[in-house]
Amino acid sequence: MPECAMGSRWGWGTLLLCLLVLGCGQDQPSSSSRPNSAPVDSVTAEFGGTAVVALESDPDVLNSLIRRSASAGQILDLMQDGLADMGEDLSWNPRIARSWEISPDRTRITYRLQPWSWSDGTPLTAHDVVRTCELFLDPRVASPRRGQYRDIVSVTALDSFTVEYIFGNPQPDPVARSFHAILPSHLLSGLDPAEVMNWPLNRSPLSCGPFQLERWEHGQSMSLVPNPYYTWDPPHLARLVFRVIPDPAGRVVALETGQVDMVPDLTPGDARRLADRPDIRVVPQGGRRYYYLNWNLRRPFFADPDTRRALSLALDRQRMIDTLMLGFGEPATGPIAPVMWNFNSKLEADPCDPQRARTLLEQAGWKDTDGDGILERDGRPFSFTMVTKLGDPVRESGAVIIRENLKAVGVEVKIRVLELATGLELLNSGDFDCYFGSFNANLYGDPSGVVHSRATGEFNKGAYANAQVDSLLDLALSLTSRDEALVPWLQMQEVLLRDQPSAFLFYPEKLVGVSSRLQGVQPHLLSPLNNVCDWWIATGDRKYRTEQ
């Protein structure tokens, strides 16, 4: 929708063993008082530390062309700088590109690169940028992000430090439409795009960002260290370790016992319980995430909009927020989150209205003809399987609420809880009835990859198609003025509320748990790791020799 650490069954001693294998040295005693030392002292050059972050799952692959997991995205963001960088105000700033020029008709953007290097010392040039963009667009690669670059007509290296993108139509945000990760072309030579799933760099990528991969023990832990060829200021940390702990309770226990320094995804219950601890901070991050029920419109049950709307009206969103999120959330109206500039704040989420749901179902031809409490149509009972992810208490408990809500209007739901990879495999193949998932919306306020009819190869897994939605999306994305574009954006959300591709459930507040030994942490809407280069650990709070 949709991390080389050890599972929750591993103890502190094993973590130390892992860190020893990684070259981290032995445990050292912490001081009883917390020094207020600066991350870098002009006299002692005091900086560093090894921070340990908990992740719920291992990255699927460290290749931005084909990665699908959120954990892979988080780690790749630390290893791959782009031509531009989105700041905390959601505006674009120069990064690898020192500047750019946009043509008056907004159909062309020209980037001018500054000197930059890969982590093996090879210069990063415009040819790397061009080759990577070509691969994102290559149908043999079948990148899930290919649709983001559909408006690019050509990308050309005018020289080693100049890249020009040409679009087929005016772009309201040419930087966003040309923003992508960059891969090293000198390692791509001779690689078959059709065999991208087997490329060596999927497991051993080069870095052009602040961190580079040191070690990856699949399913257990991963360590990153500063990239010695990084152009900008290096990170303060000496090492960043990610520990995979699939069990949410195990992640919290690891934070409480000092085995990890950050849990990016606290449950509301854990956040409330930890709020009074002096050694842990709970930080609200804000969010662009939403939970949803993705209907597979290839199934006759969900083909008509009245049935889908009826199912949405049967759902008790406020109960889910109160029960699952302890109030840390709000009902969802669509795939654009309230934090985005083009969110339609005038819309109201579907209320829980079982009576209206029954009426709409009856009008759609659903009736309980045999008196067993389950509706039928054309001789088939309204019974389907809802797939969701194992290990997410929100989804596992939420699935039970959804089943109860739908049973009350005569719909039978069977719950199938699967490992993430297995569930995504079903989703990608189209072999599912309904998927209960969560999705991190992009920062551009553009849900095309989720609801446009041409995005079935991206994240429109239910094969939703609505000509009016397509038209409004295309219009909004063609307008260069935000004021002008806002009109079709708002209209598009109105249509989606009437003709729903999914039952959009709620927008949760993201809650981050941080050890007090870890300094400089400022989680943000962009990412809980957003300012990781500013993190540091005071000398007296360091546990491993390489933290010095």
Side-chain angles (χ1 to χ4, degrees):
M1 289 280 82
E3 253 181 42
C4 175
M6 290 155 282
S8 58
R9 68 186 185 277
W10 294 46
W12 175 230
T14 311
L15 176 62
L16 288 179
L17 177 59
C18 175
L19 293 172
L20 180 60
V21 171
L22 299 178
C24 292
Q26 300 176 7
D27 197 7
Q28 291 185 339
S30 296
S31 63
S32 57
S33 61
R34 187 168 306 285
N36 292 318
S37 54
V40 178
D41 184 280
S42 60
V43 177
T44 64
E46 180 183 354
F47 66 95
T50 295
V52 184
V53 176
L55 290 181
E56 65 173 287
S57 61
D58 209 30
D60 53 344
V61 61
L62 290 181
N63 182 344
S64 292
L65 291 171
I66 56 175
R67 70 95 182 161
R68 292 183 180 273
S69 71
S71 56
Q74 283 184 317
I75 291 168
L76 285 168
D77 282 347
L78 305 179
M79 300 175 61
Q80 295 178 335
D81 279 4
L83 296 179
D85 176 62
M86 180 171 280
E88 292 190 353
D89 61 355
L90 304 187
S91 65
W92 293 106
N93 303 308
R95 199 67 171 186
I96 294 177
R98 60 159 52 96
S99 64
W100 54 81
E101 299 170 3
I102 298 172
S103 65
D105 64 358
R106 306 186 79 81
T107 62
R108 184 188 312 257
I109 183 169
T110 304
Y111 291 96
R112 305 193 185 282
L113 281 59
Q114 60 180 311
W116 208 273
S117 295
W118 292 101
S119 53
D120 64 354
T122 303
L124 187 156
T125 71
H127 304 288
D128 295 306
V129 179
V130 170
R131 182 58 184 141
T132 305
C133 186
E134 291 173 345
L135 288 168
F136 271 110
L137 292 169
D138 193 325
R140 293 173 296 176
V141 173
S143 171
R145 289 155 191 83
R146 184 183 177 199
Q148 295 176 214
Y149 314 112
R150 59 182 173 270
D151 294 326
I152 296 176
V153 173
S154 66
V155 54
T156 306
L158 302 182
D159 58 46
S160 294
F161 292 95
T162 311
V163 181
E164 179 185 70
Y165 292 80
I166 297 178
F167 304 99
N169 46 64
Q171 298 297 311
D173 189 348
V175 178
R177 282 299 173 187
S178 56
F179 179 83
H180 56 78
I182 304 171
L183 299 181
S185 60
H186 65 288
L187 295 186
L188 299 174
S189 178
L191 295 180
D192 183 356
E195 295 295 323
V196 64
M197 298 301 296
N198 300 316
W199 286 1
L201 59 79
N202 296 347
R203 302 298 173 184
S204 303
L206 284 184
S207 169
C208 60
F211 287 92
Q212 64 178 359
L213 180 66
E214 181 187 43
R215 188 180 181 89
W216 185 2
E217 295 289 342
H218 294 283
Q220 297 182 18
S221 66
M222 173 180 289
S223 65
L224 307 182
V225 294
N227 173 4
Y229 290 95
Y230 191 52
T231 300
W232 286 30
D233 290 339
H236 294 320
L237 290 172
R239 178 174 279 102
L240 181 60
V241 175
F242 292 92
R243 181 182 173 198
V244 178
I245 308 177
D247 176 41
R251 293 195 289 273
V252 175
V253 170
L255 178 63
E256 292 179 293
T257 56
Q259 299 176 58
V260 302
D261 299 304
M262 173 183 279
V263 174
D265 53 351
L266 291 177
T267 67
D270 288 327
R272 283 193 174 180
R273 184 171 58 80
L274 297 174
D276 295 331
R277 287 189 57 141
D279 57 337
I280 295 173
R281 290 189 299 131
V282 176
V283 186
Q285 182 188 330
R288 49 196 168 95
R289 187 181 186 193
Y290 58 85
Y291 281 86
Y292 67 106
L293 285 179
N294 190 183
W295 312 119
N296 188 348
L297 274 64
R298 304 175 188 87
R299 302 290 200 253
F301 290 157
F302 310 116
D304 63 279
D306 284 343
T307 295
R308 300 196 301 273
R309 186 67 186 276
L311 297 176
S312 177
L313 289 164
L315 301 172
D316 192 341
R317 290 167 173 78
Q318 194 58 52
R319 179 186 170 193
M320 294 182 202
I321 293 168
D322 294 341
T323 303
L324 306 174
M325 305 305 300
L326 299 182
F328 291 103
E330 58 182 290
T333 56
I336 297 178
V339 295
M340 303 311 302
W341 69 275
N342 56 347
F343 173 73
N344 192 334
S345 60
K346 294 183 179 180
L347 297 182
E348 294 184 4
D350 280 340
C352 182
D353 191 341
Q355 183 56 51
R356 187 179 171 201
R358 293 188 195 96
T359 300
L360 283 176
L361 287 169
E362 185 174 0
Q363 292 173 353
W366 294 99
K367 296 182 180 180
D368 181 11
T369 57
D370 57 9
D372 67 350
I374 305 299
L375 300 174
E376 306 100 30
R377 186 173 67 182
D378 300 329
R380 294 188 61 186
F382 203 158
S383 175
F384 65 86
T385 298
M386 173 173 56
V387 175
T388 196
K389 176 188 168 187
L390 178 69
D392 180 350
V394 173
R395 283 188 249 189
E396 290 183 3
S397 299
V400 175
I401 295 175
I402 292 167
R403 180 175 61 187
E404 292 176 0
N405 288 163
L406 295 182
K407 182 179 180 181
V409 298
V411 178
E412 180 183 51
V413 179
K414 302 170 185 176
I415 300 172
R416 189 179 181 191
V417 182
L418 299 173
E419 295 284 352
L420 177 62
T422 306
L424 289 179
E425 184 177 345
L426 288 177
L427 200 63
N428 293 329
S429 69
D431 186 19
F432 70 101
D433 296 332
C434 165
Y435 182 78
F436 177 24
S438 69
F439 191 83
N440 277 320
N442 62 47
L443 293 163
Y444 319 134
D446 174 15
S448 300
V450 176
V451 297
H452 203 290
S453 63
R454 63 175 170 239
T456 52
E458 298 175 58
F459 302 103
N460 181 4
K461 301 304 181 183
Y464 175 75
N466 181 305
Q468 188 179 8
V469 170
D470 287 354
S471 177
L472 288 168
L473 277 169
D474 292 341
L475 175 60
L477 292 169
S478 71
L479 297 172
T480 58
S481 165
R482 272 195 172 187
D483 291 339
E484 294 177 3
L486 188 59
V487 174
W489 278 128
L490 299 182
Q491 291 174 345
M492 185 273 298
Q493 292 169 77
E494 292 174 1
V495 176
L496 285 178
L497 191 60
R498 297 193 303 268
D499 181 33
Q500 302 180 359
S502 303
F504 299 101
L505 301 176
F506 55 90
Y507 308 111
E509 176 74 69
K510 189 171 180 65
L511 303 164
V512 182
V514 183
S515 167
S516 58
R517 90 178 188 111
L518 190 56
Q519 305 296 312
V521 180
Q522 296 179 349
H524 184 266
L525 167 66
L526 291 166
S527 166
L529 310 177
N530 185 52
N531 74 323
V532 68
C533 290
D534 297 329
W535 296 6
W536 58 283
I537 299 171
T539 305
D541 287 334
R542 298 177 191 172
K543 299 178 179 179
Y544 319 107
R545 279 183 184 161
T546 55
E547 291 186 291
Q548 298 186 28

